[in-house]
Amino acid sequence: MSDIDVTTWSLEQTAPTDLAPSPAPRDDLRIVRAEVPSPEFSRYLYTSVGGDIRWTDRLDWPYARWQKQLDQPGVETWVVYDRGTPAGYLELEPQDDGVVEIVYFGLLPAFRGRRIGGYLLSYGTARAWDLADRRPGRTPTKRVWLHTCSKDGEYALDNYLRRGFRLFDTKVAREPDLGTPGPWPGAYPA
């Protein structure tokens, strides 16, 4: 196994007016919250979206860890559907002091390049701004942030910048190249 250099960019918005929304590219797209925490569905989304771009950090999570993540107060999963088919998702996670992280965001490979990503990111970011932390004594959202890296899709960073996110940190690290895991073994040609 070889190592690769991975650049990680952290981006933020500090006011709801920072959002530069992208309209829906078509009327037949729907964005729906997955209101029932489902480790099976969340793992499906994670592996289907991230399989070809080397998302590996949650691959070894057991069922109980998925359930614990999804059961955290305020965590939300939003799914974009193209004519009834899941096309992508984002996961929001409120943190302390009015901060919301967009923990995961992406589209299944067959749905990339259709302007669906800009629409989903706009919707999810607007939702993050509306997501007052539900725990008693917490403040409304005052910062939305995320990170992306050089392993993500080639247009990911540009999409975040077009939606009004600003870069606040860049790091480069050597990581093992684990290859492309895919949503199941052998999903992508070698």
Side-chain angles (χ1 to χ4, degrees), residues 25-154:
R26 298 188 325 271
D27 288 339
D28 54 358
L29 293 175
R30 291 183 311 115
I31 299 176
V32 178
R33 181 175 172 203
E35 293 189 48
V36 177
S38 169
E40 297 90 348
F41 188 51
S42 289
R43 190 173 196 288
Y44 155 76
L45 292 168
Y46 175 84
T47 59
S48 296
V49 167
D52 69 324
I53 52 176
R54 301 179 179 140
W55 286 4
T56 57
D57 56 318
R58 289 187 176 183
L59 285 179
D60 63 348
W61 280 19
Y63 185 91
R65 187 158 179 201
W66 279 98
Q67 191 69 57
K68 182 178 178 183
Q69 170 65 22
L70 298 171
D71 284 343
Q72 289 184 84
V75 168
E76 295 183 358
T77 301
W78 290 86
V79 183
V80 62
Y81 291 88
D82 183 353
R83 293 165 285 164
T85 302
Y89 82 110
L90 66 82
E91 183 179 310
L92 300 175
E93 181 179 310
Q95 299 172 337
D96 291 332
D97 299 324
V99 175
V100 177
E101 181 181 1
I102 299 175
V103 182
Y104 283 97
F105 164 79
L107 300 175
L108 281 77
F111 297 93
R112 295 178 191 149
R114 299 184 188 179
R115 298 184 27 213
I116 297 171
Y119 174 57
L120 176 61
L121 181 60
S122 297
Y123 188 97
T125 303
R127 175 64 186 153
W129 280 113
D130 289 339
L131 186 65
D133 193 330
R134 295 181 189 153
R135 293 171 287 183
R138 301 297 180 158
T139 60
T141 304
K142 61 183 177 186
R143 179 175 177 250
V144 177
W145 79 282
L146 55 85
H147 67 270
T148 189
C149 73
S150 53
K151 295 188 298 184
D152 283 342
E154 64 181 307

